[in-house]
Amino acid sequence: MAPKLLFNFSQIDLQHVQYDVAAIEAVNPHRGAMRMLDGIIWSNADFTKGLAFKDVGQDEFWVPGHIPGRPVLPGVFMIEAAAQLASFSTIKKLGSRKFIGFVGLDAVKFRGQVVPGDRLHVLVRQLDFRPRRFICDAQGIVDGNLVFEGRVTGMPI
């Protein structure tokens, strides 16, 4: 049985960008090839749920080598995109600019491939939040299909 989505986003305008690259970079430290978010489409008021995207390009550094002739976005980059959305949400929730370190991943499953030309939508939903630790469930979706899921644990440093 296929897992349920973390939240229903059918009423969210997927073309609207609530936070663009500049706004993301004002919060998260990731730059250049390691910034895995191209925009945050939606976040609820208390930053416990968020929806972001990454447009996967033909010119990304990993394309020639992963896998030659059939490029596939590495799974660790999918998880990194989710971690960056969780980080953004946590920093906004804390109201201060702290570095977020990730201390665990659980129940990660890859259910599909992401290739150049795809838009990867990333969903996070916070399960637990404490001043020194948070846990978020995350999912990635391409063209309505679930491509990964997992649980990310992090802590402000």
Side-chain angles (χ1 to χ4, degrees):
M1 185 162 136
K4 282 180 53 175
L5 294 181
L6 296 175
F7 55 88
N8 181 354
F9 63 92
S10 63
Q11 302 301 311
I12 297 172
D13 178 2
L14 298 180
Q15 302 308 311
H16 173 76
V17 175
Q18 186 175 5
Y19 299 99
D20 63 9
V21 168
I24 293 167
E25 288 185 349
V27 175
N28 284 357
H30 310 85
R31 299 291 186 271
M34 287 312 297
R35 181 184 38 79
M36 294 291 140
L37 300 177
D38 293 318
I40 297 173
I41 296 168
W42 174 85
S43 148
N44 64 352
D46 63 357
F47 294 99
T48 58
K49 296 178 186 173
L51 173 63
F53 69 93
K54 174 182 177 37
D55 287 324
V56 182
Q58 286 285 351
D59 60 347
E60 296 192 32
F61 75 92
W62 54 266
V63 169
H66 195 266
I67 301 294
R70 188 178 175 186
V72 177
L73 181 68
V76 295
F77 293 163
M78 294 182 221
I79 296 298
E80 179 64 21
Q84 288 182 23
L85 179 54
S87 176
F88 180 92
S89 298
T90 299
I91 291 168
K92 293 292 275 185
K93 186 173 186 140
L94 287 170
S96 67
R97 184 166 169 144
K98 290 193 170 219
F99 178 77
I100 303 297
F102 286 89
V103 297
L105 294 171
D106 295 295
V108 175
K109 292 184 180 156
F110 298 101
R111 300 181 175 276
Q113 296 182 349
V114 181
V115 300
D118 284 345
R119 175 170 274 193
L120 172 65
H121 284 102
V122 179
L123 289 75
V124 296
R125 182 183 67 200
Q126 189 177 85
L127 298 176
D128 187 25
F129 179 83
R130 299 171 195 199
R132 296 276 307 140
R133 184 194 65 153
F134 66 90
I135 301 171
C136 292
D137 277 345
Q139 293 176 323
I141 298 162
V142 173
D143 294 329
N145 298 308
L146 185 65
V147 294
F148 82 86
E149 61 184 322
R151 182 165 287 169
V152 178
T153 302
M155 62 184 292
I157 298 173

